Every structure is written in structure tokens, then in C-alpha cells.
Amino acid sequence: MNTQADFMHPERITSSKATEATESRRTAGTGSRTSFWLGVVTSIGVAGLAALGFFVVPADDVQGDAVRIMFVHVPSAVGAYLAFGLTLLGSIMWLTRKSEWWDILAHSAAEVGTLLCGLAIVTGMLWGRPTWGTYWEWGDVRLMTTLILFLIMVGYLVSRSAFGTADPVSTATKAAVIGIAGAANIPIVHKSVDWWADRTLHQPSSLTDGKIEDLTLLTLMFGFLVVGLFLCWALIHRFRLGWLERELYAEELSEALHARRLEAAEEDRSRS
Amino acid sequence: MQAVRFLDGVVLAGGFPALAGVDLAVEYGEVVLLQGANGAGKSTLLGACAGFNKLASGTAEVLGYNLATQRAEVRRRVGLLDHTIALYRNLTAMENLQMWARMARIEAVDIEYSFDRLNITENLQKMPIAQLSKGQQQRVALAAIIARRPEIWLLDEPFSGLDANSRELLFDVISEAAQAGATILIASHDTAISSGCDARIVRMIAGVVVDGKPAVGQSTILR
Amino acid sequence: MIAFIKDAYIVFVKDLKIEWRTRNTSGHVLPFAFFVLVFFGFTFNSSQTVLEQATPGLIWMVVLFVTIVAAENSLRLETENEAVRLLLTGGVLPAAIFVGKVGSVVLQLLFVELVLVPGAVVFYASDVESLPLVVAASAGATIGLATVGCLLSTVVVGVKARRTVLPILFMPLVSPVLVAATRAFGDAFGVFAVNGWSWTGLLALFAVVNLIVGAMMYSQLLEDI
């Protein structure tokens, strides 16, 4: 197993073209042609979803207009869990492969996932007020599990920033441990809240009981697509940002190495 | 095969390249004197040889074990003496070493022998490490190394903070180990060090070994 | 396997011996826990029913805080003088260090609970209806808390903001323990109509899962910090 991180390739370190590379990268962003068009499609999708959700789909017999929140709420909740799945995958792969690629994936997915998770919780609260008559229902399983998951991921992000960037290997390992420990406990969190909640208000999935109308179902599916596109688009950008950070780190390091070697060579010459 | 072999070894300390590409080869049984100013990377190099500091890039082997992947093996086979002391403050010298001996599968008589050898009296053995002076703590840490008789001794400023008698004692201990064939790396500002054993001087500047090649005629430094 | 147990036992005894000398938990943490318990009482109305209802939750909230302190103390033993190097040069497996430390923290926490639980029963006039359930739930919950506490306090070693980062990481992760232990105690005290033994089963599951996951990752953690 190779425990040395990729960003420390000797050829990158000894490269004297470091400053040149930095220049070119300073002008480089996190986008590309693909991600640009992906962003455009996502934006159109968001607009389309809003139009469908607000104007085309009729109000629900039971829930009234509140049903429209579902088109954002359900896909973003699913997207959040998906992203956290990627964080778990990235964490495991970092610990086994020690390749920075996986660590950046874990970090990116955690950030995007936390955003979606927050969106799911907020939309859920907005939906809960008119439907259940309360913003927050302590007795609801999915709500509480999602909240705990959200808090775990906030902890993950907070500690990552507390660990700092001075030692990416150590930061990645600690973060991976948090990610894996967090994911391992989610089923137990779910079980505990399941038993704890005396009363569950949450919708038993409306998708499976066949009561949902065709147009509503279609819009919900479209919502999944749009959130999926957003997830991809945000992940690509966040991943590239992480990658650029590592490149910058590697370059700063190679400059520091270069400076130290120069110092050594000069002092050695002056002595002899 | 060499006892220690570094090829372009880089070690980071808090993001700073404390070792900036070290090339060094030390033969079995060699005594090496690492010299260099503060911050030249001597301690980091010894810490890396002991299997504690991570190698960030390059290749390095100690006793044939890869420092990138087999540090646990290295740690069990070398002896490092440095400023960290690495003893539990609230345990006595005896408790620290007895516990360590049980983990490291070292006989109790070997511990007794090293305490004897370093004049660590029974009174001293029963005192918590926190109550010992720096020099005394260092002697207890050295006792562990003597008990293990490692193939490589890594001594970081071993003479600092020692009184004249203890220095004398340490000289003897080191030359004994050298005569028994141990590989010894000593980092020190002190130029007058060895007691009659041949030592190669290796100079470090700014995290780099500047003349690590074996000297043509080995210099004998006398105290 | 025998070597592993032996090593873990050495670490366990070492930590307890140091605790015996320094009286960290018994001398400082225990009074703190007791004070919190007593003063919690003031924050509620003097109504007895409210206090009775809240007692199980109060006990475990206090133990949760105590775990953070105890686990941090336990890790500080290793970072002072970099003493953990003595274990590493002795060839101890990192997982054995983890298990040994968890064991000593568990024992210290149980000691705190031994004072805390009777104290709560006396002050808040709760009745213990099932002592075996109290013992079993305490054991399961304590092992779970200590396991996560030791793992996370190792994660935050050397981090400047660890005083805040550790609780932020710790609390959501052990939320099942808080819920389950409170329920189990509620049953044992006769204030909640739930099955305390199935909650104790969940506590045991939590402890086992985290002990295994933690032990598997501990060597990487020690290598990379």
C-alpha cells in the first residue's frame, strides 16, 4: 500500500516552473465547458421546476398548496443522503488507498450534502407548519434522523476547518474517521428515534401508495432530475476547488522546499 | 544493505519541510555524528529514523523496513533518546520501564541491569517521573534503550543537561554499544564527543545533508 | 489474540494507576457532576412530578458531559511527554491501546454513576423498580459513550479549538445513547411505560458497533496525527 500522498510527487516538487504554473492556475477557475452547460441545464431545470410546481400542478385535495414544497423537499432529502453516501465512500477509500482524490470527494460531497440536508430540513419545517400545525415535530423519525445526520455533517465540516490545511494527510485521515463513525451510527440513530417517537407524523412514502396524481408524480420525478443535476454540478465545482487547493498547497510546498535547498547549497558553498 | 538509507527524503512538520530531500546512507555498525545549526533538521531526521515522523515523499529504509509503510516494525527495533522523554509523568521510573518491558518482551533483569549501569538508585526508581530533574529523566529514558540493546541508537543532544559524571557514563555506554556493533546516530552541537570510537561527521543545513558521503579517512574525535 | 488482550490490559491498568495517583476523575470530575445534578433541580419548578420525569434524562446528560472530560483527560496522559511513544516502541497494537483506554474510561464513568444515580434517586425522590435494568443499561450506555469519547478525543489531539470541536462531534454521534439510556432508566424508575430491556439491547449494539469500528480505524489515526 502506498501511504504517500499523490500531491507530493517528487517531479512536482523539483519543478522549478512552479511560479509559472501558479500564474496559469490563478486565471483558471473551477469551471469547464461541460460544467458550464451542466450549469445552464440545471438553471433551466430549476426554472422549469418552479413553473411546473407553482402554476401547472393543481393543489392537493388534502394538503392544499403545501404539496408544492414536496417537489424540492423530497429530492433534496434524497440528494443529501446520496451525497453523504459519497462522503462515506470517499472516507473508506481514503483510509484504504490514501489517494487525495477520494478525500476531496468526501469533503466536497459533505459540503454539498449539508447544503441539501439543510434545504430539506427548512422546506420540511415550512411544509409542517400548515400540514401538521407545527414547524418542528420532535416525535417524527425521519425528521429527527435527518437532523442528527445534519449535525454530524456540520461537525465533520467544522472539525475539518479546525484541523487546518498544514497537514492534508492528517486532516484527511481524521475527517475520514469522523465520516465513517458518523455513517456507522446513522442506522442506530434511526432505530433509536423510531422507537422513541410515540407518534410519527411523516408521510408514509406517497410514491408507493399510488394515490399520487400523474402530473404531481411527473413533477416530483422532474424535481429528482433537477436536484440530481444540481448535485453533479455543485460536486464538480467543489471538487475542482479542492483539487486547486491541493495544487496550491503542493506548489507552496515545492517553493518552500526549493528555498530550503537553495539555502543549504549557498551556505555549503560559502563554508568551503 | 545499509542500516539507514534515505533517498530524497522529505518530512513535513506543520506543513514546513523540516527535511527538504535528505540523501543519507549509514552502514551497519557505523557511528555518525549529525551536526548542524538549530532548525537544520537533525531532530526530525532522528525522529524519522525512529519511525515517528511521517515521510512525505522520497524513499527511506531503516534496518530494511520501509519508512512509508512499516514504521511500526522500525519503532520496535530502534532506540530513540530525545527531548520528549516519552515516559508517563505520574508513574515511577520503575513502573514505566517494567510496563514497557512487559510489552516489549524484555526480561526484568535487563531493566535492573540498565538501572545499575546508569547509577539510577532505588530511591530514584521509586520516584514519579514528574519529580525527577531533566537529566535524571533522560537517564531513565536511556535505561530503556540499554535494556533493549537496539540495532540502531538514535541520540538527540544526549549530553545536554547532564552533569560531568553522567556525561562520562554516557560516553562509556555509547562506546560499549559501538563496540558491540550497534549503529549509532548522534545529533549534537558538541564537536568533542566520542570516546575513541571512529565517527563519521554528517553535516546538515536547512533540512538537507550537505556531505553525507562516507569520509575518505574516518576521523577519530577524542573528547 | 492473547497478546492483544494482554496489551490492552497493560494499558488499562496503567491508566487506572495514573488515575489512582492523580485523582482526576474522583477528585474533580465527580464533584462537578454532582453539583450539576443538584443545581439542575433549581432550573425546574419545585414540582416533584416534573423532577421525577426529568431524572433519567438529567443523569445521562451529566454523564455525557463527564465523558467528554474523562476522555480528554485520558488522551492527555498520552500526549504529555509524548508518552504514547513508550507504548509504540513497546510494540503495542494501536487497537489494544484503544480498547485499554476505553476500559479505563468506562470504569471511571461507572464510578461517577455509582455516586450520581443514588444521588439522583435521593434528591429527586425517584424509585428504582428494577435494579438489574439500571445496572445493565448503565454498563451498555457507558461502554458506548467511552468508546466514542476515546475515539473522538484522539481525533482532536493537537487541534487548537478542541474544547469546542470535541463536544460538537461527540453529541450528535452519541444521541442514540442519550435516548436509549434515558428510556431504559425511565422504565427502571417506573416513569415511562416502555420496555427498558430492548433499549438496553440497542445500547449494547451501539457499544459493539463503535468498539469494532473504532478499533479498526485507531491504528491509522495514531499513524497520521
Side-chain angles (χ1 to χ4, degrees):
Chain A
M1 189 184 65
N2 177 27
T3 57
Q4 293 174 33
D6 296 348
F7 58 88
M8 294 291 292
H9 284 314
E11 70 268 15
R12 275 203 228 165
I13 287 161
T14 46
S15 153
S16 55
K17 293 175 185 166
T19 43
E20 228 175 86
T22 314
E23 271 318 307
S24 71
R25 223 161 256 122
R26 248 165 221 157
T27 53
T30 56
S32 68
R33 189 177 292 258
T34 318
S35 68
F36 172 78
W37 287 110
L38 189 60
V40 170
V41 172
T42 307
S43 308
I44 296 171
V46 169
L49 183 66
L52 266 177
F54 280 121
F55 304 113
V56 182
V57 175
D60 190 75
D61 299 340
V62 188
Q63 299 172 20
D65 281 331
V67 75
R68 303 182 199 284
I69 291 174
M70 181 180 77
F71 304 136
V72 178
H73 172 72
V74 177
S76 54
V78 172
Y81 275 88
L82 206 69
F84 294 149
L86 285 179
T87 299
L88 173 65
L89 179 72
S91 299
I92 293 173
M93 296 307 280
W94 162 262
L95 288 188
T96 50
R97 296 273 164 81
K98 286 288 158 88
S99 133
E100 61 176 340
W101 197 92
W102 288 109
D103 177 53
I104 300 173
L105 176 74
H107 191 188
S108 313
E111 263 184 27
V112 181
T114 306
L115 185 76
L116 287 176
C117 197
L119 189 67
I121 289 175
V122 170
T123 50
M125 286 165 75
L126 291 177
W127 182 82
R129 179 67 188 162
T131 316
W132 300 341
T134 173
Y135 284 116
W136 195 256
E137 177 48 55
W138 283 88
D140 189 74
V141 182
R142 270 186 261 172
L143 199 59
M144 290 308 293
T145 307
T146 309
L147 176 70
I148 297 292
L149 182 61
F150 180 71
L151 293 180
I152 290 175
M153 295 321 289
V154 167
Y156 176 92
L157 294 176
V158 166
S159 47
R160 271 203 90 118
S161 76
F163 297 157
T165 50
D167 187 347
V169 176
S170 148
T171 296
T173 301
K174 293 173 184 177
V177 168
I178 297 169
I180 292 171
N185 283 312
I186 279 299
I188 304 178
V189 171
H190 183 87
K191 195 76 219 154
S192 71
V193 185
D194 191 12
W195 286 354
W196 178 58
D198 308 324
R199 52 210 182 269
T200 282
L201 296 178
H202 221 114
Q203 297 283 102
S205 176
S206 345
L207 283 177
T208 46
D209 61 10
K211 274 191 287 191
I212 204 158
E213 280 181 55
D214 285 351
L215 192 59
T216 314
L217 184 65
L218 189 78
T219 311
L220 185 60
M221 288 299 154
F222 189 61
F224 276 113
L225 183 71
V226 171
V227 169
L229 284 174
F230 169 78
L231 188 64
C232 291
W233 175 79
L235 266 183
I236 287 172
H237 278 281
R238 184 59 190 82
F239 184 87
R240 287 205 184 123
L241 184 66
W243 192 261
L244 285 178
E245 275 171 6
R246 294 299 182 93
E247 298 255 287
L248 192 66
Y249 174 83
E251 269 159 28
E252 279 170 3
L253 194 60
S254 82
E255 275 167 34
L257 268 175
H258 201 67
R260 286 215 95 184
R261 283 175 185 179
L262 214 63
E263 188 190 334
E266 269 167 17
E267 227 178 289
D268 191 33
R269 210 174 306 130
S270 70
R271 273 197 198 183
S272 58
Chain B
M1 196 174 66
Q2 282 119 347
V4 174
R5 204 167 60 89
F6 273 74
L7 260 177
D8 201 20
V10 174
V11 172
L12 304 182
F16 178 75
L19 294 189
V22 164
D23 293 314
L24 177 68
V26 178
E27 301 293 331
Y28 276 101
E30 221 180 342
V31 178
V32 167
L33 213 53
L34 282 175
Q35 292 191 336
N38 290 326
K42 305 188 298 286
S43 305
T44 312
L45 179 60
L46 292 184
C49 289
F52 288 117
N53 298 340
K54 281 182 287 188
L55 199 66
S57 84
T59 55
E61 278 178 11
V62 171
L63 296 169
Y65 293 102
N66 188 336
L67 272 188
T69 53
Q70 296 169 298
R71 284 194 288 152
E73 298 295 325
V74 173
R75 287 196 284 253
R76 285 163 46 190
R77 287 173 171 81
V78 304
L80 171 71
L81 180 72
D82 68 359
H83 69 279
T84 61
I85 301 298
L87 297 166
Y88 290 94
R89 290 168 50 81
N90 300 303
L91 297 181
T92 66
M94 194 54 160
E95 287 166 337
N96 264 296
L97 260 62
Q98 270 177 347
M99 176 185 78
W100 179 76
R102 277 171 60 205
M103 301 182 296
R105 318 284 188 266
I106 286 170
E107 302 289 326
V109 285
D110 289 331
I111 300 289
E112 277 165 37
Y113 168 79
S114 359
F115 277 146
D116 258 13
R117 184 76 187 77
L118 293 173
N119 295 334
I120 299 170
T121 61
E122 271 187 43
N123 265 341
L124 230 49
Q125 291 171 23
K126 284 177 189 148
M127 265 157 70
I129 293 297
Q131 287 173 23
L132 300 180
S133 76
K134 203 78 191 163
Q136 288 169 328
Q137 291 180 1
Q138 202 170 327
R139 257 156 66 198
V140 176
L142 185 66
I145 299 176
I146 294 178
R148 166 165 274 175
R149 296 191 190 87
E151 285 178 77
I152 301 186
W153 295 46
L154 304 160
L155 309 171
D156 190 6
E157 300 290 352
F159 299 99
S160 68
L162 292 189
D163 56 38
N165 284 340
S166 306
R167 280 171 80 95
E168 200 85 6
L169 198 56
L170 184 54
F171 277 132
D172 293 346
V173 166
I174 295 173
S175 21
E176 264 171 39
Q179 271 150 30
T183 312
I184 303 177
L185 274 76
I186 309 174
S188 178
H189 306 292
D190 251 320
T191 37
I193 272 207
S194 169
S195 55
C197 55
D198 289 338
R200 170 157 68 101
I201 294 182
V202 166
R203 254 182 340 117
M204 291 189 74
I205 300 173
V208 176
V209 168
V210 284
D211 51 1
K213 289 156 224 106
V216 184
Q218 286 189 331
S219 55
T220 302
I221 331 153
L222 296 168
R223 67 175 118 142
Chain C
M1 194 62 202
I2 291 167
F4 178 89
I5 294 170
K6 208 175 132 198
D7 283 348
Y9 179 71
I10 292 174
V11 175
F12 170 72
V13 171
K14 181 260 302 173
D15 276 15
L16 285 184
K17 200 183 260 176
I18 294 177
E19 164 57 27
W20 181 252
R21 296 241 164 101
T22 57
R23 304 279 154 92
N24 219 327
T25 302
S26 53
H28 313 125
V29 180
L30 183 63
F32 164 74
F34 200 71
F35 269 53
V36 174
L37 188 75
V38 172
F39 283 88
F40 250 136
F42 285 116
T43 63
F44 294 106
N45 293 333
S46 48
S47 127
Q48 195 61 51
T49 45
V50 173
L51 280 178
E52 260 178 47
Q53 287 271 321
T55 305
L58 281 187
I59 291 173
W60 288 106
M61 203 61 209
V62 175
V63 175
L64 185 117
F65 285 128
V66 169
T67 308
I68 295 175
V69 178
E72 223 195 345
N73 280 341
S74 173
L75 255 291
R76 209 180 44 235
L77 301 181
E78 308 300 332
T79 50
E80 269 179 348
N81 281 2
E82 300 248 14
V84 69
R85 287 186 174 183
L86 193 67
L87 302 180
L88 294 174
T89 56
V92 174
L93 288 170
I97 298 178
F98 178 63
V99 173
K101 294 198 88 64
V102 169
S104 89
V105 172
V106 165
L107 215 64
Q108 292 173 46
L109 290 178
L110 284 177
F111 177 70
V112 171
E113 289 160 24
L114 204 62
V115 178
L116 209 57
V117 176
V121 169
V122 171
F123 272 97
Y124 301 144
S126 306
D127 283 322
V128 178
E129 288 179 359
S130 167
L131 191 62
L133 182 56
V134 169
V135 173
S138 300
T142 306
I143 296 171
L145 287 174
T147 305
V148 178
C150 285
L151 183 68
L152 292 181
S153 54
T154 311
V155 165
V156 299
V157 159
V159 177
K160 245 187 229 144
R162 65 178 173 280
R163 288 271 146 77
T164 45
V165 172
L166 181 57
I168 285 177
L169 286 174
F170 184 68
M171 287 198 274
L173 266 187
V174 297
S175 60
V177 177
L178 203 59
V179 170
T182 303
R183 294 277 118 176
F185 264 43
D187 182 19
F189 289 176
V191 284
F192 304 144
V194 293
N195 183 354
W197 286 104
S198 49
W199 283 108
T200 305
L202 193 74
L203 287 172
L205 178 72
F206 182 93
V208 169
V209 166
N210 281 285
L211 205 56
I212 292 173
V213 170
M216 277 170 64
M217 295 191 294
Y218 209 70
S219 69
Q220 295 237 2
L221 209 49
L222 280 196
E223 288 293 329
D224 275 347
I225 56 176

